[in-house]
Amino acid sequence: MQTEDDLGPLACHCLATRQLARHVSKLYERHMAPTGITSTQFSLLNFLHQNERMTMNELAAAMLMDRTTLLRAVKPLQQQGLIISAPETEGSRRLLLELSPAGESKIAEAEPCWRAAQEEYESQVGQLHAKSLRSDFFNMTHHG
């Protein structure tokens, strides 16, 4: 019988973290499904809502995502008309992303679904523990 201190697969922090991430992602995706956007896309819209205009690099850094992954999440939002991009200045090659009015509406539509996911997650781990975990995670990733 292995103990927690053994080097077996269940002692791996990475495995446990990835399993938790998959579990939490499934919970949020189930709640967000009626909105037609993913929980990641909801977060992207919220970052743009809070910051008004951001470059791809700024948004990727804020989300701790590489640009390729970010682009895969942003493209459908642009195609749905939720995010628009425009040159920073006339003739600039640097594009700024911002929410369209439809993007603002999508946030309002999706927020109750996101809140329901938050509540379900907090009911599973406890509201105070959830807040503590979130704080610990953001401190680890320098977002705290």
Side-chain angles (χ1 to χ4, degrees), residues 111-140:
E111 190 170 350
C113 297
W114 174 82
R115 287 196 186 283
Q118 289 277 101
E119 289 171 11
E120 184 177 339
Y121 173 76
E122 288 174 357
S123 75
Q124 290 181 8
V125 299
Q127 190 175 33
L128 292 177
H129 190 61
K131 184 177 180 180
S132 176
L133 287 170
R134 187 179 62 243
S135 177
D136 289 345
F137 296 153
F138 283 145
N139 284 332
M140 288 176 65

Side-chain angles (χ1 to χ4, degrees), residues 65-138:
M65 297 173 80
D66 62 71
R67 283 184 49 119
T68 303
T69 303
L70 176 62
L71 190 56
R72 280 195 301 268
V74 166
K75 276 248 187 259
L77 297 173
Q78 288 177 312
Q79 291 168 345
Q80 294 175 47
L82 304 176
I83 292 178
I84 55 176
S85 61
E88 185 174 33
T89 58
E90 191 174 323
S92 174
R93 294 183 66 212
R94 187 172 141 145
L95 295 177
L96 293 174
L97 301 174
E98 62 183 297
L99 281 182
S100 68
E104 294 284 350
S105 294
K106 183 57 79 172
I107 289 174
E109 172 195 339
E111 190 170 350
C113 297
W114 174 82
R115 287 196 186 283
Q118 289 277 101
E119 289 171 11
E120 184 177 339
Y121 173 76
E122 288 174 357
S123 75
Q124 290 181 8
V125 299
Q127 190 175 33
L128 292 177
H129 190 61
K131 184 177 180 180
S132 176
L133 287 170
R134 187 179 62 243
S135 177
D136 289 345
F137 296 153
F138 283 145

Side-chain angles (χ1 to χ4, degrees), residues 39-73:
S39 59
T40 299
Q41 290 171 327
F42 180 74
S43 295
L44 291 171
L45 294 175
N46 265 323
F47 268 106
L48 291 173
H49 177 72
Q50 295 295 315
N51 297 288
E52 294 186 23
R53 300 172 75 195
M54 298 177 81
T55 66
M56 285 289 280
N57 286 340
E58 290 167 340
L59 189 53
M63 295 284 296
L64 288 182
M65 297 173 80
D66 62 71
R67 283 184 49 119
T68 303
T69 303
L70 176 62
L71 190 56
R72 280 195 301 268

